[in-house]
RNA sequence: GCGGACGUGGCGAAAUGGUAGACGCAGCAGACUUAAAAUCUGCUAUCCGAAAUGGGUGUGCGGGUUCGAGUCCCGCCGUCCGCACCA
């Protein structure tokens, strides 16, 4: 007698072991089958898997298993984005080596992933913190260096004087280091940069080709790249200032040039600095500007402030017209030229500024009939014709722009210019736990790349985190090395690469990982681009842009034959959970509360609890549910099924106890159906056409839903089928339907599916089975329900033979008692008949 | 401010312009049971009605297109996300 309950504790392990031993999920580079590369963003080994990971990898797994069943050779790898700050923080706090900490986390997390039964090709597992990975990354860096895609320049960084380290912008809180609390200083350091701006145009235009990407992500990248076209030109200073004879400005609205009423410099502009050198008031004002915050809220409320330098510039199109030069707090040094000309009538900031400093406001663009409407508090940024603009008068905005640009170019005071928001990517980090930059600094030869036969440049193990600063910098011996070119004593670069470089090419290394080079282009070509990439929206810009850049950069130096790494991208929603609070506002974890009737109370003490919003699981809100005990209690299949049910995958999924229990019950329900086959072996041989039809509709429907990643819809269809099977009488058709059901659920709940397979006498694994064929003839109903409407309102439904002709339908509709009652003798003006759908009577 | 997404029962949600609310959760009633769990059956948008294959209303709000609108168009309101003194 078969156990009436499915026991995941035993079954999960049994099948996970068999999958691993058989190597069934290992991808074959040499396969002749069509290929599919399913990739989920690899995790940072923080120590524990969280529900977001579970959801992400479940989605990818269903797709990977499904594609395998459909006959694809599937590459579905897993690895670890293993460099990063948390390991160094752990080293400082817990006195463990970052490597030990990271490797222990990887071990723990891979065990957790394995318990979920994901169909990963573990033979390709990689960790970016191991020399066999980062050494190859160093080789790629050198290739880029030698192809002029890498350069070094002085750049301002946030410097924490206590921790003696560079901080990322996110690590600066209220101007202080997030760890030390010390006021952060701006420091100039020599930093390595990758020339992503060389690819700005390609990265932008390439977005149009990414049809399989969410519109949202493409728009975000487009904004980030930030292309603006306009005119860069100079104003001649009336009096030369030191070396400076002119002020260079950039504008996207050269058409408004006759509306100019001032020129404004950034506080960091060279001319400002020149003036500040012998003018204390200017120096003080420039300092004041820099002190201002840069958060959105601060900018919102910050008043426009300026300082009149007393200098004048000549208007390029009318040398007799002089404009005052201000230093202004709203002009950014790192965009455009660090100087602008102000057109108050057509730019809100300029207008605010002009009102404050009593500068002229001249309308130069006007919509029809608005020519004489004065500008008050709102600048006009809309379309129209030029006015008050000498030779431009009467032109539309676009023509005026072209005219001014042509004039500037022919008279040699400016040229058409494209400006990007995108900056080159600074990759230097003054940290230990990252890829060492494979450069040697020689006094005579300058920066020299480490010869490739000396790679990898391995991180030293014997380091200390007792004293602040970069351990590589103060290591006794590591950085001392002879110059590979001249042999003279030299030093290694002690900076390491930004961790985003690690994730910029890992998908290539998954596809091919030879010992002697980063990848084999021939093998990579077979798998790439990634067919379906799945991950969180938080990587919409940085990671996805950097990976696109690396792919294009490597293509530009002949290492790859494709331009885009990810054919389709899917950004999944977060896993959320209700939050709980005590009366005093402190957060409570789900374990600390329980339901008491309709209210919530604390487990200990029974104090009243307020339920808060449903939010992303986070430690601070204490609403995290750890997957491990849940898997322990309900088994991998129930957890996986929950992740797929109900919410569409791109939306947030609210975690609930009731939900996981529902999934558990469904797994048991499936199991009871499978058992019923063994008990109904001698069921009658009569045909259950309705059930067969439902079965084949479900096979087709589930397949297309999974293909669309609409897992919630696939789940709903499976429920419908299960409901119908349960209601149907025992028959051989019913047994076939149940056995077929095992294939349909196999990608989602693989353990119970394998168990069923064994129960039903199959010797091999369902993981190797093919997706069932659809009997197309069964997809077509022979009877359909048609709606009878009167003036678009439903009055009756009729069941008719499929394909009934219009006249028949019309006659049937008219003979309906309910329809007659509604019409009540009124004249029928029009009859709309949609065959197999509806009849609409218009009276 | 700019850009994007979204708004449907108590909740998560379905719905090629064609019967709104499939499917799941929760809830209610019943069966089985000494009892509970599990399981099974039925009901469950809302209003009127004892009930009806009775009727009215209903997809954020206001208009429009259409024989017919959750879906398309215009204008609002709201929520969420991203970017932001970007010249």
């Amino acid at each position: 007698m078969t156990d009436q309950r499915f026991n995941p504790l035993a079954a999960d392990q049994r099948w996970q072991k068999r999958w691993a031993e058989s190597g069934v999920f290992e991808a074959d580079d040499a396969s002749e089958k069509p290929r599919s590369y399913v990739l989920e963003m690899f995790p940072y080994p923080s120590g524990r898997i969280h529900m977001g990971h579970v959801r992400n990898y479940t989605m990818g797994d269903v797709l990977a298993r499904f594609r395998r069943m459909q006959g694809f050779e599937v590459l579905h790898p897993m690895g670890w984005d293993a460099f990063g700050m948390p390991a160094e923080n752990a080293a400082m706090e817990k006195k463990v080596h970052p490597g030990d900490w990271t490797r222990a986390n990887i071990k723990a997390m891979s065990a957790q992933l394995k318990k979920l039964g994901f169909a990963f090709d573990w033979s390709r597992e990689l960790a970016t913190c191991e020399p066999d990975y980062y050494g190859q990354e160093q080789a790629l860096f050198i290739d880029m260096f030698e192809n002029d895609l890498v350069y070094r320049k002085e750049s301002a960084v946030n410097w924490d004087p206590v921790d003696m380290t560079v901080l990322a912008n996110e690590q600066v809180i209220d101007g202080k280091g997030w760890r030390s609390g010390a006021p952060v200083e701006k420091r100039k350091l020599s930093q390595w940069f990758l020339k992503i701006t060389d690819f700005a145009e390609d990265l932008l235009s390439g977005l149009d080709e990414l049809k399989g990407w969410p519109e949202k992500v493409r728009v975000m990248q487009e904004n980030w790249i930030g292309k603006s076209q306009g005119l860069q030109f100079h104003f001649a200073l009336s009096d030369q200032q030191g070396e400076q004879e002119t002020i260079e400005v950039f504008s996207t609205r050269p058409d408004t040039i006759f509306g100019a009423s001032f020129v404004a410099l950034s506080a960091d502009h060279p001319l400002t600095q020149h003036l500040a050198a012998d003018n204390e008031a200017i120096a003080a004002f420039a300092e004041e500007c820099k002190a201002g915050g840069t958060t959105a809220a601060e900018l919102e409320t910050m008043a426009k402030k300026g300082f009149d330098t007393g200098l004048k510039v000549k208007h390029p199109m009318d040398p007799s017209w002089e404009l005052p030069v201000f230093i202004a707090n709203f002009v950014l040094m790192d965009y455009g030229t660090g100087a602008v000309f102000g057109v108050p009538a057509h730019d809100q900031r300029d207008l605010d500024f002009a009102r404050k400093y009593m500068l002229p406001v001249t309308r130069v663009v006007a919509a029809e009939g608005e020519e004489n409407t004065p500008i008050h508090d709102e600048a006009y940024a809309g379309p129209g014709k030029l006015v008050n603009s000498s030779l431009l008068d009467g032109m539309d905005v676009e023509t005026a722009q072209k005219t001014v640009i042509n004039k500037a170019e022919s008279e040699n005071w400016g040229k058409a210019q494209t400006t990007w928001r995108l900056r080159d990517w600074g990759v230097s980090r003054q940290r230990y736990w990252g890829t060492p930059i494979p450069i040697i600094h020689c006094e005579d030869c300058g920066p020299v790349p480490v010869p490739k036969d000396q790679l990898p440049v391995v991180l030293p193990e014997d380091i200390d985190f007792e004293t602040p600063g970069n351990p590589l910098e103060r290591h006794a011996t590591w950085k001392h090395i002879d110059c590979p070119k001249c042999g003279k004593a030299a030093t290694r670069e002690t900076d390491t690469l930004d961790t985003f470089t690690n994730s910029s090419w890992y998908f290539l290394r998954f596809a091919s990982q030879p010992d002697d080079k980063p990848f084999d282009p021939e093998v990579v070509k077979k798998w790439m681009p990634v067919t379906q990439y799945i991950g969180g929206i938080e990587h919409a810009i940085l990671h996805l842009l950097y990976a696109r850049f690396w792919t294009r950069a490597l293509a530009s130096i002949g290492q790859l034959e494709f331009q885009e790494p990810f054919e389709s991208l899917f950004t999944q929603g977060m896993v959320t959970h209700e939050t709980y609070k005590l009366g005093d506002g402190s957060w409570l974890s789900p374990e600390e509360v329980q339901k008491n009737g309709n209210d919530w109370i604390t487990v200990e003490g029974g104090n009243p609890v307020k339920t808060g919003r449903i939010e992303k699981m986070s430690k601070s809100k204490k609403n995290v549910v750890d997957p491990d005990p849940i898997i322990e209690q309900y088994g991998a299949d129930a957890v996986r099924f929950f992740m797929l049910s109900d919410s569409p995958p791109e939306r947030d999924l609210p975690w609930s106890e009731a939900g996981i229990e529902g999934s558990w019950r469904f797994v048991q329900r499936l199991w009871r159906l499978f058992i019923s086959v063994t008990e109904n072996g001698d069921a009658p041989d009569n045909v259950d056409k309705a059930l067969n039809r439902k079965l084949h509709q479900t096979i087709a429907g589930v397949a297309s839903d999974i293909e669309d990643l609409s897992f919630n819809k696939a789940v709903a269809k499976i429920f419908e089928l299960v409901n119908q099977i349960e209601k149907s009488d025992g028959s051989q058709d019913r047994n076939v339907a149940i056995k077929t059901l095992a294939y349909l659920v196999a990608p989602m709940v693989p353990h119970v599916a394998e168990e069923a397979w064994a129960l039903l006498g199959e010797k091999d694994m369902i993981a190797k089975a093919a997706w069932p064929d659809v009997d197309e003839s069964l997809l077509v109903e022979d009877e359909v329900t048609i709606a009878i409407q009167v003036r678009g309102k439903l009055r009756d439904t009729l069941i008719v033979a499929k394909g009934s002709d219009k006249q028949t339908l019309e006659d049937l509709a008219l003979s309906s008692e309910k329809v007659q009652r509604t019409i009540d003798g009124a004249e029928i003006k029009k009859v709309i008949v949609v065959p197999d759908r509806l009849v609409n009577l218009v009276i």
Side-chain angles (χ1 to χ4, degrees):
Chain A
M1 164 101 193
T2 314
D3 196 343
Q4 289 295 311
R5 283 198 124 189
F6 173 68
N7 176 6
L9 235 54
D12 286 5
Q13 273 189 28
R14 184 161 55 243
W15 292 104
Q16 284 158 19
K17 193 159 166 254
R18 254 192 94 178
W19 292 329
E21 283 168 359
S22 65
V24 62
F25 301 128
E26 285 172 26
D28 179 5
D29 291 340
S31 172
E32 296 295 320
K33 293 182 197 170
R35 289 159 196 279
S36 187
Y37 186 173
V38 178
L39 183 66
E40 298 98 65
M41 292 178 184
F42 68 162
Y44 176 77
S46 56
R48 315 265 318 151
I49 293 291
H50 57 68
M51 281 299 175
H53 292 126
V54 177
R55 190 175 191 205
N56 191 182
Y57 302 136
T58 301
M59 290 180 192
D61 201 56
V62 171
L63 185 65
R65 284 174 178 270
F66 170 72
R67 289 253 167 92
R68 186 178 305 281
M69 289 178 85
Q70 290 215 313
F72 287 89
E73 186 66 32
V74 174
L75 174 55
H76 186 220
M78 176 48 62
W80 309 94
D81 189 12
F83 274 137
M85 289 253 308
E88 291 196 32
N89 295 339
M92 285 183 264
E93 279 159 22
K94 299 175 190 147
K95 316 279 178 222
V96 290
H97 189 280
D100 295 342
W101 183 84
T102 303
R103 290 182 191 104
N105 287 346
I106 288 175
K107 204 173 162 205
M109 289 171 77
S110 61
Q112 286 185 295
L113 288 182
K114 282 171 184 168
K115 280 201 273 183
L116 282 156
F118 295 130
F120 291 128
D121 179 353
W122 286 103
S123 73
R124 296 179 190 235
E125 181 181 8
L126 58 82
T128 58
C129 66
E130 302 302 344
D132 58 3
Y133 184 85
Y134 70 70
Q136 300 302 345
E137 186 168 302
Q138 290 166 339
L140 292 174
F141 181 88
I142 291 167
D143 291 339
M144 289 194 192
F145 179 87
E146 285 172 346
N147 283 280
D148 216 19
L149 292 170
V150 177
Y151 66 97
R152 196 166 141 88
K153 74 163 190 203
E154 286 262 303
S155 158
V157 296
N158 302 308
W159 180 259
D160 185 320
V162 172
D163 278 352
M164 300 215 306
T165 186
V166 168
L167 299 176
N169 284 334
E170 309 82 89
Q171 294 163 347
V172 181
I173 298 155
D174 293 334
K176 299 193 174 89
W178 67 296
R179 172 177 292 278
S180 69
V184 169
E185 299 168 5
K186 287 273 177 206
R187 251 200 203 193
K188 290 235 168 183
L189 285 183
S190 269
Q191 307 266 298
W192 290 99
F193 286 84
L194 300 187
K195 280 193 187 167
I196 191 170
T197 54
D198 276 10
F199 296 83
E201 189 76 64
D202 293 342
L203 288 166
L204 181 66
S205 60
L207 290 171
D208 293 339
E209 309 302 315
L210 296 174
K211 308 275 185 235
W213 282 41
E215 174 71 15
K216 180 189 172 92
V217 175
R218 300 202 315 232
V219 168
M220 280 165 76
Q221 292 212 353
E222 191 182 319
N223 292 340
W224 187 263
I225 295 168
K227 181 180 186 175
S228 323
Q229 286 170 296
L231 174 68
Q232 185 168 328
F233 68 98
H234 59 259
F235 284 96
L237 280 160
S238 300
D239 303 297
Q240 182 174 345
Q241 295 295 313
E243 299 288 292
Q244 302 250 0
E245 295 175 37
T246 60
I247 297 174
E248 196 77 16
V249 297
F250 172 73
S251 172
T252 55
R253 293 293 304 274
D255 52 301
T256 63
I257 195 162
F258 285 97
S261 54
F262 63 94
V263 167
L265 303 171
S266 157
D268 296 311
H269 194 277
L271 182 54
T272 306
Q273 290 176 347
H274 171 82
L275 295 170
D278 42 37
N279 183 327
E280 271 182 35
I282 290 178
F285 180 77
E287 273 315 303
E288 199 185 324
C289 290
K290 285 187 221 175
T294 52
T295 66
E298 283 170 308
L299 292 174
E300 199 86 7
T301 53
M302 200 195 302
K304 302 282 172 282
K305 274 192 301 197
F307 188 99
D308 190 347
T309 61
L311 302 180
K312 304 279 184 218
V313 290
K314 293 177 186 155
H315 194 282
M317 295 179 82
D318 179 2
S320 67
W321 177 3
E322 288 199 325
L323 301 169
V325 178
F326 282 76
I327 298 161
N329 66 342
F330 65 90
V331 182
L332 306 173
M333 190 58 222
D334 59 3
Y335 186 81
T337 62
V340 297
F341 70 95
V343 183
H346 305 289
D347 181 291
Q348 193 59 45
R349 288 160 310 175
D350 296 348
L351 182 60
D352 296 345
F353 191 82
R355 291 292 183 223
K356 182 158 177 184
Y357 295 99
M358 314 288 279
L359 297 161
V361 178
T362 314
R363 176 191 275 281
V364 290
V365 178
E368 181 108 34
E370 300 282 307
E371 291 81 0
N372 296 314
T373 311
I375 303 279
H376 292 292
D377 298 332
E378 265 185 56
Y380 177 70
K385 293 269 196 295
L386 273 284
V387 294
N388 301 322
S389 294
S390 164
L391 73 161
L392 305 177
D393 282 351
M395 292 182 186
D396 61 38
V397 166
E398 205 179 318
T399 311
Q401 289 183 357
K402 282 184 189 148
T403 307
V404 172
I405 290 171
N406 287 340
K407 202 164 166 60
E409 289 182 340
S410 66
E411 292 173 1
N412 220 13
W413 48 268
K415 61 179 193 328
Q417 177 79 34
T418 301
T419 300
W420 304 88
R421 209 189 79 98
L422 186 68
R423 310 275 97 170
D424 272 338
W425 177 12
V427 291
S428 292
R429 297 290 180 273
Q430 290 68 40
R431 309 220 153 263
Y432 167 75
W433 196 232
T435 304
I437 296 176
I439 295 286
I440 293 164
H441 296 284
C442 171
E443 250 177 52
D444 295 344
C445 312
V448 179
V450 175
K452 282 199 179 169
D453 60 10
Q454 291 175 29
L455 295 181
V457 177
V458 178
L459 288 168
E461 287 289 314
D462 54 329
I463 41 129
D464 86 277
F465 280 96
E466 293 299 310
T467 33
N470 182 355
L472 293 177
E473 181 68 40
R474 41 164 211 271
H475 189 277
T477 56
W478 186 78
K479 71 176 173 183
H480 302 292
I481 185 163
D482 294 340
C483 172
K485 247 188 190 167
C486 69
K488 199 177 155 181
T491 54
R492 285 191 191 283
E493 170 68 63
T494 57
D495 284 354
T496 51
L497 289 171
D498 180 6
T499 55
F500 277 109
T501 57
N502 307 137
S503 50
S504 292
W505 70 286
Y506 77 108
F507 41 89
L508 303 174
R509 186 76 183 164
F510 273 144
S512 161
Q513 39 190 290
D515 292 335
D516 59 339
K517 52 188 167 190
F519 50 82
D520 180 337
E522 285 306 307
V523 179
V524 161
K525 197 169 116 186
K526 290 186 181 179
W527 291 111
M528 290 291 294
V530 171
T531 321
Q532 181 67 61
Y533 197 31
I534 308 178
I537 186 71
E538 66 273 19
H539 294 111
I541 296 172
L542 295 182
H543 161 58
L544 289 166
L545 191 63
Y546 292 148
R548 293 182 62 217
F549 158 58
W550 271 60
T551 305
R552 282 175 184 272
L554 293 174
S556 78
I557 60 178
Q559 299 201 14
L560 297 174
E561 291 179 31
F562 48 89
Q563 301 291 326
E564 289 289 342
F566 313 121
E567 189 179 311
S568 292
L569 171 72
F570 187 84
T571 53
Q572 101 265 9
M574 297 178 298
V575 182
T576 58
H577 193 269
E578 206 166 31
T579 52
Y580 310 99
K581 271 184 177 179
L582 271 180
D584 66 1
S586 60
W587 303 95
L588 292 166
S589 69
E591 295 86 54
E592 292 174 293
V593 300
Q594 63 185 24
K595 206 151 193 188
N596 181 28
N598 283 329
D599 301 320
W600 290 84
I601 56 168
T602 56
V603 174
E604 279 181 40
N607 298 312
V609 170
K610 280 192 290 189
T611 53
R613 284 163 46 122
I614 294 176
E615 295 194 63
K616 179 184 180 172
M617 289 188 181
S618 79
K619 276 184 194 159
S620 63
K621 308 245 164 72
K622 285 195 169 186
N623 62 341
V624 174
V625 176
D626 184 14
D628 245 14
I630 306 283
I631 300 166
E632 203 78 9
Q633 188 180 350
Y634 298 99
D637 287 342
V639 177
R640 294 168 59 111
F641 197 74
F642 179 84
M643 291 291 136
L644 302 166
S645 307
D646 294 348
S647 288
E650 68 279 8
R651 263 187 244 177
D652 289 351
L653 171 69
W655 173 269
S656 75
E657 198 70 21
I660 182 67
E661 278 176 9
S663 296
W664 157 260
R665 282 199 301 270
F666 178 71
V667 171
Q668 296 300 335
R669 227 171 126 193
L670 281 176
W671 184 240
R672 283 194 299 275
L673 278 182
F674 296 136
I675 291 172
S676 75
V677 175
T678 66
E679 291 165 353
N680 294 324
D682 54 354
D685 211 3
N686 53 329
V687 173
D688 189 337
K689 188 154 187 193
L691 183 60
N692 287 339
R693 175 166 283 136
K694 186 73 185 175
L695 176 66
H696 283 266
Q697 286 169 343
T698 308
I699 297 169
V702 168
S704 75
D705 286 340
I706 293 178
E707 201 62 61
D708 293 346
L709 307 181
S710 297
F711 305 111
N712 57 321
K713 292 189 216 167
V715 163
K717 289 192 174 82
I718 285 171
F719 267 110
E720 286 186 40
L721 176 62
V722 166
N723 288 343
Q724 190 160 336
I725 292 174
E726 284 179 344
K727 286 188 170 65
S728 64
D729 296 327
S731 69
Q732 291 304 330
D733 278 354
R734 184 181 193 266
N735 288 350
V736 168
I738 294 171
K739 197 163 172 183
T740 310
L741 175 65
Y743 294 94
L744 302 187
V745 298
M748 303 177 182
V749 287
H751 306 87
V752 73
E754 292 286 7
E755 201 73 355
W757 212 229
L759 175 73
L760 300 179
E762 296 284 340
K763 294 285 173 275
D764 213 337
M765 292 179 279
I766 201 167
K768 290 187 189 169
W771 190 256
D773 290 328
V774 176
D775 182 343
E776 300 282 341
S777 70
L778 284 172
L779 296 185
V780 192
E781 303 277 0
D782 39 37
E783 282 186 329
V784 288
T785 307
I786 63 163
I788 310 300
Q789 299 176 336
V790 178
R791 284 209 319 233
K793 276 193 178 287
L794 182 72
R795 292 298 161 186
D796 201 359
T797 59
L798 296 172
I799 294 170
V800 299
K802 190 179 166 66
S804 302
D805 64 62
K806 288 192 175 192
Q807 191 58 51
T808 312
L809 292 174
E810 186 178 335
D811 293 347
L812 278 169
L814 286 171
S815 66
S816 158
E817 193 189 318
K818 281 184 231 166
V819 167
Q820 285 304 332
R821 210 188 308 152
T822 312
I823 295 174
D824 195 23
E827 181 201 356
I828 294 173
K829 292 180 184 143
K830 198 172 175 185
V831 180
I832 313 279
V833 182
V834 183
D836 297 337
R837 273 284 179 190
L838 59 74
V839 178
N840 189 9
L841 305 167
V842 186
I843 56 172

